[in-house]
Amino acid sequence: MKLGFGLYRHMLNEEHYKFAKQCGATHLVIHMVDYFGNDSNDKSNANQPIGEKDGWGGAGSGQLWSLEELLKIKKEINSHGLELEAIENFDPAIWHDILLDGPKKEEQMELVKEQIRIVGKAGIPFFGYNFSLAGVSSRDIGPYARGGAESVGMNGIVDETPIPNGMVWNMVYDKNAPEGSIPRIDHDELWKRLQYFLENLVPVAEEAGVILAAHPDDPPMPYVRNTPRLVYQPDMYQKVLDIKPSENNKLEFCLGSVAEMTEGDVYEATDRYSKQNKLGYIHFRNIVGKVPNYKEVFVDEGDIDMVKILQILKKNNFEGALIPDHTPQMSCSAPWHAGMAYAMGYMKAAISHVNN
């Protein structure tokens, strides 16, 4: 098992590479999409955006991340003694009509294919994605973790606000879209869209040497913002794998999201999918409660026995990266850094304990 660290787009710089290395990380999972375009999302604080009704801001330009750009970032990361393990999430500007089954679907599928080819040429092993219309949404912020540390959660309320035209996955891809909201669809329709996505992209990923890794819904509710969700119970992950069986079709396994689910068991799910060698990389975070009433907490205070998870992973020979994903903000002058350093210290010690 490898100790990894996740960085948002605006953190891809020397300061944060050094911080990750100092925390004990050997691998990085990076975001190329900028989720902090909305004025309510503070880059200086660096806490995770929560996805309010007006979204995270604008999507990107629609230009692919070039091979030169990715190789430059990779070289900088390598120069700090780190490896680039994965990129998380496509820019909504290049795949909104794949999600929405819109008129540009075929055109955008070619863009997504080319993006995966570029990622493969750059030698980046994994590409994580979240096939969702609402994205990460329907949460709030409060003093939910130990000692009143600021964190996120749900308080029994599910956001039912329809998604406006021109927005998907919390980001605005068309500022001039006509008034109105995206049509309501059922779960079967969303699964059909995922099937189209996987059947077209997995063969390209195989050729490119890139492993696609699917994130579960966060929060894992059947509907959020009047749109259906795909993976809101642990068994639903199997359907993602079975649509297009391949060594390049795996899971971005988020322990917090799985533990929030109302059915199943996080330990059984971890065992089941790691036995199949279907875990790409893991979001190693802890929670208290189930949807729609849960709170994200420090890695050592939640419902999940994280050492037990590591023992299951070791038993099943998981060799991938684990990253904190996100963590409560600590009460000091550097809330994000302190929270991440605490999580990384726990993870490093726990992995060492299990490996001995």
Side-chain angles (χ1 to χ4, degrees), residues 47-48 50 140-145 148-153 286 295-298 326-329:
N47 195 9
Q48 56 174 312
I50 63 169
D140 64 2
I141 295 177
Y144 298 143
E150 183 180 276
S151 188
V152 304
N286 214 334
K295 305 292 183 288
E296 293 189 15
V297 295
F298 288 108
H326 35 78
T327 189
Q329 309 291 286

Side-chain angles (χ1 to χ4, degrees), residues 6-12 29-35 65 73 84 86-89 169 252 281 283 323 325:
L7 291 175
Y8 292 125
R9 174 73 188 237
H10 63 279
M11 297 175 175
L12 301 182
V29 174
I30 69 170
H31 297 262
M32 295 294 291
V33 180
D34 183 3
Y35 317 123
W65 307 315
I73 292 171
L84 178 49
I87 295 175
E88 279 196 24
N89 298 324
W169 205 78
E252 181 186 337
Y281 60 97
H283 285 177
I323 70 169
D325 189 24

